[in-house]
C-alpha cells in the first residue's frame, strides 16, 4: 500500500514510478478523491465541534433554569448532517483505498527500466557449465527412465501440472529440502517455522496478493486460500503488531508445499516439473527496519546463492527491471540455474525487498529506540530455494551417460551415504 502523504508531497515522483512500471499516471485522480475525503472529514469535525459547543450551552442554560429547547432542537438538526458526513467520509476513504491497493510498489532508482524480462540486467555469474561427452537429457527423460517420476498417473487423478515422485527421487527431493533448512538455520541465522498452509483474506491481502491476483491462487469453498508461497504465512506473523527495534531483524524460513493456479501461465512450461500447481519450496522472510533493509536484501540473496554454490550448480544473478518485478517488490534479484537439458538458465529463486509496502497493508510497525512514535517495518522475501527446480537442476547437471545420477557431495549425508542413483536396468 502506498503512503497517501507521499502522493500529496511528491505527485510527480509517484507518477514517474508508475510509468516505470508501465502504468498510466494516477496521482491526480488519487489526490482528487483525497481532497474530497479530507473535506468531508473536516466538515464532520466542524459539525462535531459545533454540537459540542451547543451541548455545553445547553448544560449552562439548564443550570441557570433557562429554557434550552431551541438549543436542543439545533443539536438534533445537526445529527443527520453528521451521520451523512461520516458516511461520505467513510465512502471516500474506501474509494481512496481502492485506488491505492491495486497499484504496485514503486521501483527504487537503481532498478533498471524495462517492460519485461528482456530488460533484466545480469549482476554476476558463478560456476562453470558442465561439458558433457554425450547429449544431456532433460529431467523428464531421466526421471521417467528410472521409473521414479510419473506424470501420466498424476494427470489421471489431478490433471496436468502434477507429478508422482517415487522411491529414490522422493528421497532426493526430501534430502534437498533438509539440506537447505539446515544451511539456513545453522549457518544463515534463520528460524525454522512450520506455518499454516490455509490462510484468510487478510493474510493474502497483507502481502499484496489480493485483490488483484485472486485468479493465481486456489480458494477453498469455506473461505480459505491455499498459500502460493509460505511468504504469506511467514510475513503475516507480524500482522497488526508493534515490535521493539532491539528485536529486529527477524529471519524466518519454512519448507512447505505451495499452490498456484498458474492462470497467467497458460501454455508455458507444460512439460515436466518446471511449472506445477503444487510444488515444494524453502522460503526465506526477513522483517527489519528501513535503515537495514537494503543490507538485509543483499544478505538474503547471498544466503540463497550459497545453496547453489554448495551444490556445485552454475547460476547467474539478475536484477529485475521495473516492468518484470512482482507487485509488492521495490527491488528484486532473480537467481537462474543452468539446466543442460534445456540448454538455458532458468529461475530458481527470487529475492525481493518490499520496503514498507506490505507492512502498511498489514499495519505492522516497530518502535525505534529513543522515539515515542512508531514506524512501518520493512519486509523481504526470497526462495531459498524452489526445491522441485533444484531437483531438476541436480538431475540434469549430475546425470551420467548410462542414465544414473551422481549425488552432489553436499547431499550425500542426507541420502544415508548414497553417492549414486543407478540408471534404468538394462
Amino acid at each position: 500500500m502506498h503512503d497517501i502523504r507521499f502522493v500529496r508531497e511528491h505527485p510527480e515522483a509517484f507518477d514517474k514510478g508508475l510509468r516505470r512500471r508501465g502504468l498510466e499516471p494516477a496521482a491526480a485522480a488519487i489526490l482528487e478523491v483525497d481532497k474530497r475525503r479530507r473535506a468531508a472529514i473536516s466538515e464532520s469535525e466542524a459539525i462535531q465541534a459545533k454540537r459540542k459547543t451547543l451541548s455545553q450551552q445547553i448544560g449552562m442554560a439548564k443550570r441557570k433554569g433557562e429554557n434550552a429547547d431551541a438549543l436542543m432542537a439545533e443539536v438534533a438538526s445537526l445529527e443527520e448532517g453528521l451521520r451523512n458526513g461520516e458516511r461520505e467520509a467513510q465512502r471516500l476513504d474506501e474509494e481512496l483505498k481502492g485506488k491505492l491497493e491495486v497499484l504496485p510498489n514503486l521501483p527504487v532508482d537503481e532498478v533498471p527500466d524495462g517492460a519485461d524480462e528482456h530488460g533484466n540486467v545480469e549482476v554476476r555469474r558463478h560456476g562453470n557449465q558442465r561439458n558433457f561427452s554425450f547429449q544431456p537429457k532433460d529431467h523428464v527423460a531421466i526421471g521417467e527412465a528410472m521409473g521414479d517420476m510419473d506424470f501420466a498417473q498424476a494427470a489421471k487423478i489431478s490433471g496436468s501440472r502434477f507429478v508422482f515422485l517415487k522411491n529414490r527421487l522422493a528421497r532426493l527431493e526430501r534430502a534437498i529440502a533438509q539440506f537447505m533448512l539446515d544451511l539456513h538455520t545453522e549457518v544463515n541465522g534463520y528460524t525454522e517455522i512450520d506455518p499454516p498452509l490455509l490462510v484468510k483474506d487478510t493474510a493474502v491481502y497483507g502481502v499484496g496478493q489480493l485483490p488483484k491476483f485472486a485468479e493465481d491462487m486456489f480458494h477453498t469453498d469455506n473461505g480459505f486460500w491455499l498459500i502460493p508461497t509460505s511468504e504469506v504465512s511467514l510475513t503475516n506473523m507480524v500482522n497488526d503488531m508493534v515490535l521493539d527495534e532491539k528485536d529486529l531483524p527477524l529471519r524466518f524460513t519454512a519448507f512447505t508445499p505451495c499452490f498456484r493456479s498458474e492462470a497467467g501461465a497458460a501454455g508455458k512450461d507444460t512439460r515436466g516439473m518446471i511449472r506445477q500447481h503444487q510444488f515444494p519450496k524453502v522460503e526465506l522472510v526477513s522483517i527489519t527496519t528501513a535503515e537495514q533493509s537494503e543490507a538485509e536484501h543483499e544478505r538474503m540473496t547471498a544466503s540463497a546463492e550459497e545453496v547453489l554454490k554448495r551444490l556445485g550448480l552454475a547460476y547467474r544473478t539478475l536484477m529485475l527491471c521495473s516492468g518484470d518485478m512482482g507487485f509488492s517488490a521495490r527491488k528484486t534479484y532473480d537467481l537462474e540455474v543452468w539446466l543442460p537439458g534445456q540448454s538455458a538458465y532458468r529461475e530458481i529463486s527470487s529475492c525481493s525487498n518490499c520496503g514498507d509496502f506490505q507492512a502498511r497493508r498489514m499495519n505492522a510497525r516497530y518502535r525505534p529506540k529513543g522515539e515515542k512514535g512508531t514506524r512501518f517495518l520493512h519486509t523481504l522475501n526470497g526462495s531459498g530455494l524452489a526445491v522441485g527446480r533444484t531437483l531438476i537442476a541436480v538431475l540434469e547437471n549430475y546425470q551420467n551417460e548410462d542414465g544414473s545420477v551422481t549425488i552432489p557431495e553436499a547431499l550425500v549425508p542426507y541420502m544415508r551415504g548414497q553417492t549414486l542413483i543407478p540408471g534404468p536396468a538394462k
Side-chain angles (χ1 to χ4, degrees):
M1 186 73 77
H2 294 285
D3 182 359
I4 185 60
R5 290 175 296 181
F6 178 83
V7 184
R8 289 184 203 134
E9 296 169 7
H10 308 283
E12 293 181 358
F14 184 75
D15 282 343
K16 178 182 177 182
L18 292 180
R19 281 192 292 268
R20 295 184 66 199
R21 281 286 210 163
L23 300 174
E24 293 296 318
I30 290 170
L31 293 177
E32 190 275 331
V33 176
D34 181 51
K35 181 179 179 180
R36 289 190 286 125
R37 180 184 69 95
R38 288 193 290 166
I41 293 172
S42 296
E43 184 176 347
S44 295
E45 290 175 344
I47 294 174
Q48 288 175 331
K50 186 173 183 180
R51 184 178 64 174
K52 181 178 180 181
T53 299
L54 289 172
S55 297
Q56 292 172 341
Q57 291 175 357
I58 290 169
M60 291 175 61
K62 288 184 175 180
R63 284 193 294 272
K64 293 179 180 181
E66 298 174 352
N67 189 308
D69 290 349
L71 292 172
M72 293 172 67
E74 188 174 357
V75 168
S77 70
L78 293 175
E79 293 297 332
E80 184 176 357
L82 180 59
R83 286 194 297 270
N84 289 339
E86 289 176 339
R87 281 197 294 266
E88 179 66 1
Q90 183 176 0
R91 184 190 70 78
L92 289 167
D93 191 63
E94 289 299 317
E95 184 177 347
L96 179 64
K97 178 183 175 184
K99 287 185 176 295
L100 290 172
E101 68 186 3
V102 296
L103 295 175
N105 204 349
L106 303 182
V108 296
D109 291 343
E110 65 188 285
V111 169
D113 288 335
D116 51 34
E117 66 272 13
H118 300 294
N120 298 338
V121 174
E122 185 172 316
V123 178
R124 54 185 170 265
R125 273 184 198 212
H126 182 87
N128 298 314
Q129 300 170 13
R130 177 182 168 188
N131 291 318
F132 289 85
S133 60
F134 59 94
Q135 182 62 41
K137 299 176 181 178
D138 70 5
H139 67 283
V140 179
I142 298 168
E144 288 185 335
M146 287 180 176
D148 289 350
M149 187 179 290
D150 191 340
F151 293 96
Q153 192 64 23
K156 288 181 182 178
I157 65 168
S158 299
S160 62
R161 299 190 189 275
F162 289 92
V163 66
F164 276 111
L165 290 182
K166 308 174 187 178
N167 193 15
R168 299 160 300 181
L169 294 191
R171 172 174 287 181
L172 180 59
E173 184 179 67
R174 174 161 51 92
I176 290 169
Q178 290 175 323
F179 158 68
M180 291 178 185
L181 286 174
D182 284 353
L183 177 63
H184 293 317
T185 56
E186 297 173 8
V187 178
N188 296 330
Y190 289 84
T191 298
E192 184 176 355
I193 304 293
D194 184 7
L197 305 183
L198 295 170
V199 295
K200 298 179 180 179
D201 288 359
T202 51
V204 281
Y205 177 84
V207 296
Q209 292 293 120
L210 288 182
K212 198 166 184 179
F213 302 101
E215 67 171 7
D216 293 329
M217 297 181 290
F218 288 109
H219 192 257
T220 70
D221 58 10
N222 61 343
F224 290 98
W225 297 91
L226 278 71
I227 58 167
T229 164
S230 59
E231 169 206 347
V232 177
S233 305
L234 297 179
T235 307
N236 273 281
M237 288 178 69
V238 297
N239 191 311
D240 202 28
M241 293 182 66
V242 178
L243 308 179
D244 286 329
E245 185 176 15
K246 64 179 176 60
D247 296 325
L248 300 174
L250 301 177
R251 299 185 179 113
F252 303 129
T253 186
F255 169 51
T256 67
C258 305
F259 307 89
R260 293 183 188 172
S261 69
E262 298 293 353
K268 294 182 179 178
D269 297 310
T270 55
R271 176 177 167 81
M273 292 176 56
I274 287 288
R275 195 181 299 272
Q276 297 201 292
H277 291 311
Q278 175 186 320
F279 58 95
K281 184 152 71 83
V282 171
E283 185 73 3
L284 304 174
V285 162
S286 293
I287 312 293
T288 189
T289 65
E291 292 78 12
Q292 296 299 318
S293 68
E294 183 58 31
E296 188 67 21
H297 191 200
E298 299 296 326
R299 184 186 189 279
M300 174 180 286
T301 305
S303 296
E305 289 183 6
E306 186 63 23
V307 176
L308 294 168
K309 290 178 180 177
R310 295 197 180 200
L311 291 176
L313 297 171
Y315 70 91
R316 65 180 183 177
T317 303
L318 306 176
M319 185 184 294
L320 298 195
C321 70
S322 55
D324 198 35
M325 292 192 305
F327 181 81
S328 296
R330 69 176 193 174
K331 179 182 174 183
T332 298
Y333 291 116
D334 266 12
L335 308 185
E336 294 186 343
V337 68
W338 176 253
L339 297 183
Q342 296 190 20
S343 192
Y345 284 99
R346 296 302 304 269
E347 179 193 339
I348 198 167
S349 174
S350 190
C351 297
S352 296
N353 185 347
C354 299
D356 63 6
F357 186 82
Q358 293 177 325
R360 288 181 181 279
R361 299 170 78 99
M362 296 186 300
N363 192 31
R365 299 171 178 263
Y366 73 99
R367 187 174 290 104
K369 183 178 180 181
E371 295 185 18
K372 293 183 178 180
T374 60
R375 301 181 191 175
F376 285 106
L377 291 158
H378 277 215
T379 62
L380 304 94
N381 64 81
S383 308
L385 306 164
V387 178
R389 292 194 179 191
T390 306
L391 174 66
I392 291 170
V394 168
L395 292 179
E396 294 192 7
N397 282 278
Y398 285 90
Q399 64 179 293
N400 302 308
E401 190 170 10
D402 63 358
S404 64
V405 174
T406 301
I407 296 173
E409 184 177 348
L411 298 180
V412 170
Y414 298 91
M415 292 291 288
R416 299 182 181 177
Q418 185 178 353
T419 59
L420 185 78
I421 297 178
K426 299 298 184 181

